[in-house]
Amino acid sequence: MSRLDEIIEKIEPLDEEAMKLARERQDNLTKPQGSLGVLEELSIKLAGIQRTSRPKIENKVIFTMAGDHGVVEEGVSAYPQEVTPQMVYNFLRGGAAINVLARHAGARVVVVDMGVAADIEAEDGLVKKKIAYGTRNIAREPAMTREQAVEAIEAGIEVFEKEFKRGVDIAGVGDMGIGNTTPSAAICAAITRRAVEEVTGRGTGIDDEAWKRKVAVIKRALKVNRPDPSDPIDVLAKVGGYEIAGIAGVALAAAAHRVAVVIDGFIATAGALIAGEIAPLAREYMIASHLSQEAGHRAMLEHLSLKPLLNLNLRLGEGTGATLGICLVEAGVRILNEMATFAEAGVSERIE
Amino acid sequence: MSRLDEIIEKIEPLDEEAMKLARERQDNLTKPQGSLGVLEELSIKLAGIQRTSRPKIENKVIFTMAGDHGVVEEGVSAYPQEVTPQMVYNFLRGGAAINVLARHAGARVVVVDMGVAADIEAEDGLVKKKIAYGTRNIAREPAMTREQAVEAIEAGIEVFEKEFKRGVDIAGVGDMGIGNTTPSAAICAAITRRAVEEVTGRGTGIDDEAWKRKVAVIKRALKVNRPDPSDPIDVLAKVGGYEIAGIAGVALAAAAHRVAVVIDGFIATAGALIAGEIAPLAREYMIASHLSQEAGHRAMLEHLSLKPLLNLNLRLGEGTGATLGICLVEAGVRILNEMATFAEAGVSERIE
């Protein structure tokens, strides 16, 4: 059995009994029942994921997966491709948004080269899983071979499992890759079967003309490659990206190891979408941190049956939104663990 | 000049120059311009409030103001009045939701007895500003005299100013008081001139019959007392509450001292509404943390021209939502202060 098949087989449904016990505890804490809304729901979901009525969140890890995209030669991005490795250096030196927000959330950042189109000089902290120097141009040919797609997902699994040995109570997934809203929109269109125009956004900030070009490029990519919507690995190989595959791998491994995975924005959700098609049970371990400004994000979240926690007009990626989502999950879990019950506090219950 | 008039006079517009400099810095940080959406806007607002392009958030303080309401004798709440002092003890012992979430946000909690209908035995940490043992029943007579209303607002100002000497970079305001969604809905109806049915919710969780009774009680309170919508202190005195007055005082004092004030839910927003009518410039210092499940909250926020940061079906109060809002403001400010610029990080800028 392949490494991927092994992981898929390990994923189980959430623990209903732990969730029931967590719900009962929430209902006995000194507040009107349900008055902390989504925070309560998150704590109960974490109980189901961790299989205990008292889940814990101590080790928080953001996986920021980087990769390049051959399709940038079609002029689909507002930034040059050299920005991908430059930003990887920025992550490693601690100057990027994800570093700042991960510090704020008390999370460590694991930066992974899944397929950057440049050699990144060895620096502390970079996890090297380069499958290739970027994908091929999806407007002309498949992004990668099927073997490379599986290899990339398995690389994501390995990255997660190595960190899991150090301790991971909650994971966040994010991306870096110039041009990667184009393959993400292609994946979205292929799997949710929405119109390309509906799911294509402005990425890092392209104008009307570039947007029309991007839509045409995605349509061409789908026509040239004919990804099979019933075969998520085929979709990933034909119109995806290495960082997207790595995110899918982390999401699958997290589910297999009973760890909640907080999804960032549009690109991370494309990875989650692939993971959810490969192993539908993995969806139960996912938490959508925010609704991106990027068109198409809502369609992917609906397909995954996930409701985003935040709507703050974010469109950066890197895992930035995931850090904010982790803060909210931790808030819910702390409520469950640290609040006094009515009996403990000597507070009267409601009038019946 | 009264203490209240002095504070009102001190409130100035935000510093446009500091906001311009903060905007420029945000635009030079290593991310597509505007890609952190609301986080960027919050950092710029903080720059305007603190009059510096590099605002700081170190000292975070939640003011939780408690008071009782004579109107509970009309059967408008699902909980007995004794819960107000019981919850104050819970706050002082650290077992309530606000304690947990304030710890999570790194904030200290200042608990204030503004008008609880019981003596609270001296415990460390309680600020005693009791104006009266609860308000009078607004369904029959004014909640308090005009003098008491001013005294209560000034008590809130004093509470803020005492803490300000210890250091307050950002304030949150919250409430505790059985029955206090009733006066808050009355204030909302009086000032926003919406229909009582539209702005009356289910508080801690009343049924249909109790809701109808609550609507009738609020209508009676408005008819009996005839609060003058153009005179916010008259509205507060006739249909308000002591904790609501205290919150208004904190909001005014925060604005006068150039401190951002993060508003919790329905009751805290009623206090903010009073403050904003007393001194319209004070609104510029307010940040709405979340949209409460309580009907009428949206109407008050629209009246204040505030957009809530979160929508998590919260309806607890105490300042709980404000702690989550403070986390987001701090995230924005840290982005502004800690991220590398394109030049510092050697990252290429967008293709023009």
Side-chain angles (χ1 to χ4, degrees):
Chain A
M1 191 157 57
S2 76
R3 191 76 202 86
L4 176 56
D5 288 334
E6 274 173 31
I7 281 290
I8 294 166
E9 197 160 87
K10 275 181 74 174
I11 304 172
E12 290 176 3
L14 304 196
D15 181 338
E16 293 290 339
E17 181 62 21
M19 292 170 79
K20 186 171 155 281
L21 291 171
R23 170 85 274 163
E24 280 170 19
R25 181 169 165 83
Q26 280 287 9
D27 288 348
N28 277 307
L29 299 175
T30 46
K31 57 182 169 50
Q33 289 186 5
S35 61
L36 282 176
V38 173
L39 294 189
E40 296 188 23
E41 292 165 22
L42 287 169
S43 73
I44 291 161
K45 181 162 181 169
L46 265 280
I49 289 173
Q50 296 189 3
R51 275 116 176 118
T52 167
S53 62
R54 304 295 280 269
K56 75 178 169 79
I57 295 188
E58 285 164 17
N59 285 288
K60 297 163 257 185
V61 182
I62 304 290
F63 295 89
T64 303
M65 320 296 269
D68 272 311
H69 299 271
V71 72
V72 293
E73 68 190 30
E74 305 290 338
V76 290
S77 179
Y79 283 81
Q81 192 172 49
E82 69 208 36
V83 167
T84 305
Q86 288 168 349
M87 283 302 297
V88 170
Y89 286 115
N90 199 16
F91 298 154
L92 296 172
R93 289 167 188 157
I98 186 56
N99 305 104
V100 175
L101 294 180
R103 283 197 292 272
H104 183 50
R108 59 185 197 268
V109 182
V110 174
V111 184
V112 186
D113 177 1
M114 288 297 305
V116 178
D119 285 312
I120 299 179
E121 287 161 45
E123 291 210 31
D124 278 353
L126 180 65
V127 179
K128 296 178 179 183
K129 294 284 178 188
K130 197 194 294 288
I131 310 296
Y133 286 85
T135 56
R136 294 173 181 271
N137 181 353
I138 58 172
R140 296 169 179 273
E141 57 187 321
M144 61 190 91
T145 65
R146 187 176 184 94
E147 290 67 34
Q148 285 174 316
V150 172
E151 193 187 340
I153 295 171
E154 292 185 342
I157 293 170
E158 282 164 24
V159 171
F160 179 85
E161 292 195 326
K162 192 179 165 200
E163 282 304 312
F164 186 67
K165 285 181 191 150
R166 296 178 60 194
V168 183
D169 298 317
I170 192 163
V173 282
D175 72 288
M176 178 66 224
I178 294 303
N180 66 7
T181 59
T182 295
S184 299
I187 289 170
C188 176
I191 288 179
T192 71
R193 305 183 191 213
R194 308 272 182 133
V196 172
E197 288 82 353
E198 197 189 324
V199 302
T200 303
R202 286 167 190 276
T204 47
I206 52 173
D207 61 18
D208 286 353
E209 203 185 322
W211 180 82
K212 282 180 196 157
R213 194 162 55 231
K214 185 173 170 183
V215 167
V217 162
I218 294 167
K219 285 186 175 176
R220 211 175 334 138
L222 295 170
K223 198 174 167 195
V224 166
N225 292 297
R226 301 204 164 278
D228 175 0
S230 68
D231 179 355
I233 294 175
D234 186 64
V235 174
L236 176 65
K238 286 179 173 162
V239 299
Y242 293 116
E243 78 280 43
I244 296 169
I247 288 165
V250 169
L252 291 169
H257 291 282
R258 305 173 174 183
V259 172
V261 59
V262 181
I263 315 295
D264 192 33
F266 188 59
I267 294 98
T269 308
L273 198 63
I274 297 291
E277 294 294 303
I278 291 175
L281 277 176
R283 299 177 188 191
E284 297 187 19
Y285 293 79
M286 296 175 187
I287 294 165
S289 60
H290 75 105
L291 181 66
S292 168
Q293 262 203 313
E294 190 70 13
H297 194 208
R298 192 186 296 270
M300 292 200 284
L301 292 175
E302 281 173 7
H303 192 89
L304 286 162
S305 303
L306 295 175
K307 276 190 189 169
L309 298 173
L310 297 160
N311 188 352
L312 298 172
N313 293 333
L314 308 179
R315 54 180 173 84
L316 177 55
E318 301 178 4
T320 48
T323 66
L324 304 176
I326 287 174
C327 281
L328 292 176
V329 178
E330 191 177 1
V333 167
R334 291 188 69 164
I335 285 291
L336 182 65
N337 285 321
E338 299 178 24
M339 267 185 77
T341 61
F342 281 99
E344 283 164 2
V347 173
S348 306
E349 302 206 35
R350 54 183 291 146
I351 305 160
E352 297 300 340
Chain B
M1 189 158 55
S2 76
R3 189 75 201 87
L4 176 55
D5 289 334
E6 274 173 29
I7 281 290
I8 295 166
E9 197 160 88
K10 275 181 73 174
I11 303 172
E12 290 176 3
L14 304 196
D15 182 339
E16 294 289 339
E17 181 62 19
M19 292 170 79
K20 185 171 155 280
L21 291 171
R23 170 84 276 164
E24 281 170 15
R25 182 171 163 81
Q26 280 287 9
D27 288 347
N28 278 306
L29 299 174
T30 45
K31 57 181 169 52
Q33 289 187 4
S35 61
L36 283 176
V38 172
L39 295 189
E40 296 188 23
E41 292 166 21
L42 288 169
S43 73
I44 292 162
K45 183 163 180 169
L46 265 280
I49 289 172
Q50 295 189 6
R51 275 115 176 121
T52 167
S53 62
R54 305 293 281 267
K56 75 177 168 80
I57 295 188
E58 285 163 16
N59 286 287
K60 297 163 259 186
V61 182
I62 304 290
F63 295 90
T64 302
M65 320 296 271
D68 272 311
H69 299 271
V71 73
V72 294
E73 70 191 30
E74 305 290 338
V76 290
S77 179
Y79 284 81
Q81 191 171 53
E82 69 209 35
V83 167
T84 305
Q86 288 169 347
M87 283 302 296
V88 170
Y89 286 116
N90 198 15
F91 298 153
L92 296 172
R93 289 166 188 159
I98 186 57
N99 304 103
V100 176
L101 294 180
R103 283 197 293 271
H104 183 49
R108 59 184 198 266
V109 182
V110 174
V111 183
V112 187
D113 176 0
M114 289 296 306
V116 178
D119 285 314
I120 299 181
E121 288 161 43
E123 291 210 32
D124 278 352
L126 180 65
V127 179
K128 297 179 179 183
K129 293 286 178 187
K130 197 193 294 288
I131 310 296
Y133 287 84
T135 56
R136 293 169 182 274
N137 180 354
I138 58 172
R140 296 168 179 274
E141 58 187 320
M144 61 190 91
T145 65
R146 188 176 183 94
E147 291 67 33
Q148 285 174 314
V150 171
E151 193 187 340
I153 295 171
E154 292 186 342
I157 293 169
E158 282 165 24
V159 171
F160 179 86
E161 292 194 326
K162 191 178 166 202
E163 282 303 314
F164 185 68
K165 284 181 192 151
R166 295 179 59 194
V168 183
D169 298 316
I170 192 163
V173 282
D175 72 288
M176 177 67 224
I178 294 303
N180 67 7
T181 58
T182 295
S184 298
I187 288 170
C188 177
I191 288 180
T192 71
R193 305 184 190 211
R194 308 273 182 130
V196 172
E197 288 84 352
E198 195 188 327
V199 301
T200 303
R202 287 168 189 277
T204 47
I206 52 174
D207 62 17
D208 286 354
E209 202 186 322
W211 180 81
K212 282 180 195 158
R213 192 162 58 232
K214 185 172 169 182
V215 167
V217 163
I218 294 167
K219 285 185 174 177
R220 209 174 337 133
L222 294 170
K223 197 174 170 194
V224 166
N225 291 298
R226 302 204 163 278
D228 175 359
S230 68
D231 179 355
I233 295 174
D234 187 65
V235 174
L236 177 65
K238 285 177 174 164
V239 299
Y242 294 116
E243 78 280 44
I244 296 169
I247 288 165
V250 169
L252 292 169
H257 291 282
R258 305 173 176 185
V259 171
V261 60
V262 180
I263 314 295
D264 193 32
F266 189 58
I267 293 98
T269 308
L273 197 64
I274 296 291
E277 295 294 304
I278 291 174
L281 277 176
R283 298 176 188 192
E284 298 187 18
Y285 293 79
M286 296 176 187
I287 293 165
S289 59
H290 75 105
L291 181 66
S292 167
Q293 263 204 312
E294 190 72 12
H297 194 208
R298 192 186 294 271
M300 293 200 284
L301 292 176
E302 281 173 8
H303 193 89
L304 285 162
S305 304
L306 295 175
K307 274 191 190 168
L309 298 174
L310 296 159
N311 188 352
L312 298 172
N313 294 333
L314 308 179
R315 55 181 172 83
L316 177 54
E318 303 177 4
T320 49
T323 67
L324 303 178
I326 287 174
C327 281
L328 292 176
V329 178
E330 191 177 1
V333 167
R334 291 188 71 164
I335 285 290
L336 181 65
N337 285 321
E338 298 179 24
M339 265 186 80
T341 62
F342 281 98
E344 284 164 2
V347 173
S348 306
E349 301 207 37
R350 56 183 289 146
I351 305 160
E352 295 301 340

